[in-house]
Amino acid sequence: MSAKDNTDPDEPRRKAQKTHRAAYMNSQFRSPDFASYFADSFLSKSQWKDEHTGVEVFTTPFRHASLPNFVPDKEYLEQLIVELSSLDMNEKNNDLYKFKQSMELKHVNSPCINIFRDILQEQLLPWFRDVTRFPLNDKVDMFCSNYDYTDTLLCHDDELEERYIAYIYYLVPDSWCQEDGGTLDLFDTDDKGQPNNIVKSIVPAKNLFLFFEVSPGSFHQVAEVLAEDKTRLAISGWFHGPPVRRPPPYVEPPMPVSACGSIKDDEFFDWINPVYLSQDIQNEIRERFEAESELELTNFLKEEKYEQLLAALSNQERTWTHRGPPNKRNYDVCLADHLPPTAESFLKVLQSDAMFLVLSAMTGLHLYISSPREAGEAGASDARGDNAKCRVEVQRFKHGSYTLLHDTDPLVGEMALDIVLFVGGKEWSAESGGYMSYVAKDAVEEDSDLLKAEPSPNSLALVYKDRETLRFIKHINHRATKAKESQYYAISATYYENAD
């Protein structure tokens, strides 16, 4: 045999066989005494820690357990990491998450991955049936995930199909610490069963296997990864069983709407850029809007009024109130009794008959039934707007802010005109998130945006939302903290068509 052919073609197979003989779930977990103690704690919902193995069972905020040193074979672990790191990963990016994920690992034929699949199916599954008493079937999901800088998975409960147990097996660098982010955050719930506060954050650790019971209250998230030079590599998935009856989800009441009111002409004209009050310009805008159902109006307010509004909202003494719950939204609002006079004045403009008329002229929508008189004329005393209504909210978005799509959203199915005036956020980058995204109701997967509106100072975004359109604000990530302005404000209003 020549030197060039001095390799053993069977060597990889023999290495895999050698690894297979050594790679098992920690045998200490499978001892009868250990399994008995674990089961007693899990079934009685009492906290327990085994001092010898470091295994812990927790009952709050919901049942979960950590199994450190899950696979004792260190050589196997390194080979497993190499195999997982070489997989093709798909970018996952929508309202709820941003990270990379592999295909289902049951479809991957790779020595160490095959071994881990056997560990879950042949060793862990029987053990789970014994210590949890859950009626688990043979279905085990298994994916590899890769979280890099600014990746996250926001608050959710994992309730889907027939999931009983969710698990995460961490294969992060040994140096991973709290400051790197990527923690598994667990939420408690309020009296309506909605997630409330993060009460526990579990830092990823190499070779740590973590699992929790999937329930209506198992709200959790993967905190944003803040490390720029590390990857949060993990295998995760679910163990399944027969369908479980769940209580109906809580449906929160819709925000109140306000009827339009009258306003003096001078008050209205003081705010709006006169360009947008020209009938010719309104006709041009209307043609574009009727063709595209959305547009952006730059420099919408007079410059001095915009600066006054920005100064009022950014005043450090301003009182802001957090708006949740985190499985639906996370941002701040300025409530009516804390609004500065400048913002109060502008909200009167937004809720005025004059604004309803101008928006009707710009969009062709019947927001306000008017006479043949020009809609751009604020007076229009013979207009009829008894049913004209809108809802308005003054919002603040900063690092960590977002809104999510959800099945119980009371606004789903509404036909309305959304307008958003962006205040602040100079030189905002879409890479920081914070953009307003509209998606089709039946196509909310990755890259399915119908349109995006990015924060731009003193711009007014107008979007017609039909019954099949949903809206979310993309999670604002850590990059925003490095920007010239790390937060922005939005005055968001929704206008409803007036029945003739």
Side-chain angles (χ1 to χ4, degrees), residues 15 19 73-89 102 105 108-114 116 144-146 169-173 206 231 233-235:
K15 282 186 176 180
T19 304
D73 187 341
K74 306 305 180 186
E75 182 181 349
Y76 165 77
L77 286 182
E78 297 308 317
Q79 294 176 19
L80 178 61
I81 291 171
V82 169
E83 287 187 10
L84 293 171
S85 300
S86 66
L87 293 174
D88 290 332
M89 296 281 184
S102 72
L105 293 183
V108 176
N109 185 17
S110 188
C112 293
I113 293 174
N114 291 344
F116 193 77
C144 177
S145 62
N146 183 334
Y169 179 52
Y170 295 111
L171 294 164
V172 296
K206 190 175 184 178
T231 292
L233 188 70
I235 296 174

Side-chain angles (χ1 to χ4, degrees), residues 383-436:
R384 295 184 291 109
D386 294 341
N387 296 321
K389 57 184 179 179
C390 69
R391 58 167 57 92
V392 183
E393 191 172 62
V394 180
Q395 306 163 333
R396 179 176 68 177
F397 292 92
K398 56 186 179 179
H399 179 214
S401 297
Y402 59 84
T403 67
L404 299 176
L405 307 175
H406 54 96
D407 295 336
T408 60
D409 187 345
L411 305 184
V412 171
E414 290 186 332
M415 299 178 66
L417 174 69
D418 280 350
I419 76 163
V420 177
L421 178 75
F422 294 107
V423 182
K426 192 173 183 180
E427 298 178 13
W428 190 271
S429 169
E431 287 191 343
S432 299
Y435 53 81
M436 185 171 63

Side-chain angles (χ1 to χ4, degrees), residues 204-328:
K206 190 175 184 178
N207 202 14
L208 172 66
F209 189 96
L210 196 83
F211 74 91
F212 60 84
E213 176 186 7
V214 176
S215 72
S218 57
F219 289 102
H220 61 285
Q221 69 177 14
V222 176
E224 181 183 359
V225 171
L226 303 177
E228 299 188 46
D229 59 347
K230 300 176 187 178
T231 292
R232 181 189 181 276
L233 188 70
I235 296 174
S236 59
W238 301 270
F239 288 76
H240 295 255
V244 179
R245 292 191 63 181
R246 308 290 194 192
Y250 170 71
V251 179
E252 56 187 351
M255 290 174 55
V257 295
S258 301
C260 74
S262 60
I263 190 173
K264 294 180 180 179
D265 289 357
D266 288 347
E267 291 181 75
F268 184 81
F269 293 135
D270 279 350
W271 278 92
I272 309 301
N273 186 335
V275 168
Y276 295 114
L277 300 179
S278 158
Q279 186 174 5
D280 289 342
I281 296 298
Q282 289 178 358
N283 290 340
E284 290 179 17
I285 290 172
R286 178 171 176 168
E287 287 182 12
R288 287 176 50 203
F289 188 85
E290 289 178 339
E292 302 174 15
S293 296
E294 58 90 15
L295 53 82
E296 177 186 1
L297 306 180
T298 59
N299 300 315
F300 184 72
L301 301 183
K302 290 181 177 179
E303 185 63 27
E304 65 273 17
K305 282 295 189 181
Y306 169 78
E307 293 297 337
Q308 291 174 20
L309 187 60
L310 174 59
L313 295 179
S314 56
N315 187 322
Q316 296 297 316
E317 297 180 359
R318 185 69 46 228
T319 299
W320 294 88
T321 301
H322 172 258
R323 183 150 189 254
N327 63 326
K328 296 180 174 70

Side-chain angles (χ1 to χ4, degrees), residues 19 32 42 67 89 97 117 133 144 157 202 232 236 245 248-249 259 313 348 359 399 416 454-455 464 494-495:
T19 304
F42 192 86
L67 309 176
M89 296 281 184
Y97 49 67
R117 187 166 56 242
R133 301 294 195 273
C144 177
D157 60 13
I202 301 170
R232 181 189 181 276
S236 59
R245 292 191 63 181
L313 295 179
K348 284 180 62 180
L359 292 175
H399 179 214
E454 297 179 9
Y464 181 68
T494 301
Y495 294 80

